[in-house]
């Protein structure tokens, strides 16, 4: 069920040149676009639940799952090695950005910036749910940039030469959670390839991201990890292990699913629901 390539993924893969670079682009995008620093400054890593939410939804979201299952080829070992190599880079960059967070924090009015951080999360959720909706929304980097301009408070600016070790560890833990999730997907990819409905997982991930954004805004209680609960339900609904069982006529449902996917692509074409 998960082996159909989405047009958005194909365009991005052509632009970056290969599935390995595509995975690096997807997992490092929160670091490049400023999404991860925004979440660090918004206080979303203040507890274990927040660390898990950021790790699973931002670094290990539906786009990461789709790249590993639908875009990457080769053996299980090759997928694991590629994912691990990308994960090391992500961990290093996440640690550096978490170390710089106190310096950035001294430049901003966090009460204002947190609202923009929540808007970033909601925008990503909308883009994940629908590419058509995403066409009308600004890029996350633009929202982060506007947030920094609106909340700029240079009067209290100071260069923090000694990073906050607790904050760095939390940042590494969040990135490590995403990398561990990606590695788990790579290890089990031969089975998950035909047991996961990526479109269903993508939409559920978008809902979970939306809940996380609303919690940052204070519109939903943050004392319960609702985003994790939504993600858990999404994972269960996206699984259909029966798809890889053998059919009565001797063919496997893997072959049946491949045939059905080809029919769907013929009937539906490039308007399939996006995952990026």
């Amino acid at each position: 069920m998960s082996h159909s390539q989405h047009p958005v993924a194909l365009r991005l893969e052509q632009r970056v040149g290969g599935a390995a670079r595509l995975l690096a682009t997807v997992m490092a995008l929160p670091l490049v676009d400023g999404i991860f620093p925004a979440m660090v400054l918004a206080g979303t890593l203040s507890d274990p639940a927040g660390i898990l939410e950021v790790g699973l939804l931002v670094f290990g979201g539906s786009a990461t799952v789709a790249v590993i299952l639908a875009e990457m080829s080769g053996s299980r070992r090759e997928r694991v090695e590629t994912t691990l190599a990308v994960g090391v880079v992500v961990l290093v960059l996440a640690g550096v950005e978490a170390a710089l967070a106190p310096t950035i924090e001294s430049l901003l009015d966090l009460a204002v910036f947190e609202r923009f951080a929540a808007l970033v999360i909601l925008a990503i959720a909308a883009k994940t749910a629908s590419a058509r909706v995403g066409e009308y929304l600004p890029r996350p980097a633009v929202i982060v940039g506007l947030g920094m301009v609106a909340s700029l408070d240079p009067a209290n600016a100071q260069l923090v030469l000694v990073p906050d070790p607790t904050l760095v560890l939390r940042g590494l833990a969040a990135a490590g959670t995403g990398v561990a999730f990606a590695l788990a997907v790579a290890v089990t990819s031969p089975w998950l390839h035909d047991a996961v409905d990526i479109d269903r997982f993508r939409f559920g991930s978008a809902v979970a991201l939306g809940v996380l954004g609303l919690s940052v805004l204070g519109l939903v209680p943050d004392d319960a990890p609702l985003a994790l609960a939504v993600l858990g339900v999404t994972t269960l609904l996206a699984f259909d292990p029966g798809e890889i069982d053998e059919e009565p006529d001797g063919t496997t449902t893997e072959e049946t699913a491949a045939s059905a996917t080809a029919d769907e692509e013929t009937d539906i074409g490039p308007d399939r629901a996006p995952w990026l």
Side-chain angles (χ1 to χ4, degrees):
M1 287 188 298
S2 64
H3 45 272
S4 61
Q5 290 184 314
H6 187 270
V8 176
L10 290 174
R11 290 197 299 269
L12 186 55
E13 185 173 358
Q14 292 170 356
R15 186 176 303 174
V16 300
R21 292 185 180 180
L22 178 60
L23 180 63
T25 300
V26 168
M27 293 192 70
L29 195 60
L31 301 166
V32 176
D33 272 1
I35 302 166
F36 177 67
M39 290 185 172
V40 172
L41 294 176
T44 53
L45 305 182
S46 58
D47 54 62
I51 291 173
L52 287 175
E53 288 173 345
V54 172
L56 294 176
L57 294 173
V58 175
F59 291 106
S62 57
T64 299
V65 173
V67 170
I68 296 175
L69 297 184
E71 312 298 331
M72 293 181 69
S73 58
S75 65
R76 178 189 316 192
R77 180 176 179 178
E78 290 172 338
R79 295 187 185 194
V80 170
E81 290 176 348
T82 300
T83 305
L84 185 59
V86 172
V88 170
V89 176
V90 170
L91 282 171
V92 172
L93 292 177
V96 171
E97 292 194 358
L100 293 175
T103 299
I104 301 175
E105 182 179 3
S106 67
L107 290 167
L108 305 175
D109 182 344
L110 287 184
V112 176
F113 188 75
E114 284 181 5
R115 293 178 174 82
F116 282 89
L119 291 178
V120 169
I121 301 173
L122 293 175
I124 296 172
K127 288 174 178 288
T128 302
S130 172
R132 293 185 182 276
V133 173
E135 291 176 355
Y136 299 99
L137 296 176
R139 292 174 57 86
V142 174
I143 301 177
V144 172
L146 291 175
M148 295 188 72
V149 171
S151 58
L152 189 63
D153 185 16
N156 298 319
Q158 57 180 337
L159 178 62
V160 181
L161 299 177
V162 180
D164 183 350
T166 302
L167 194 59
V168 173
L169 288 176
R170 289 174 179 173
L172 289 174
T177 299
V179 172
F181 175 78
L183 285 172
V185 173
V187 170
T188 57
S189 57
W191 176 67
L192 291 179
H193 186 274
D194 294 289
V196 173
D197 187 325
I198 287 182
D199 284 341
R200 195 179 299 170
F201 184 78
R202 170 193 54 76
F203 186 79
S205 298
V207 175
L209 271 173
V211 172
L212 178 60
L214 293 176
S215 67
V216 173
L217 284 174
L219 299 179
V220 297
D222 57 0
D223 54 348
L226 296 180
L228 288 178
V230 172
L231 184 62
V233 173
T234 295
T235 303
L236 291 176
L237 293 177
F239 268 111
D240 190 2
E243 286 288 323
I244 58 176
D245 294 335
E246 190 175 24
E247 295 287 332
D249 60 359
T251 62
T252 63
T253 51
E254 181 177 349
E255 296 170 347
T256 305
S259 176
T261 300
D263 293 340
E264 289 176 3
E265 289 178 346
T266 301
D267 295 337
I268 301 177
D271 291 329
R272 293 176 60 82
W275 50 264
L276 263 177

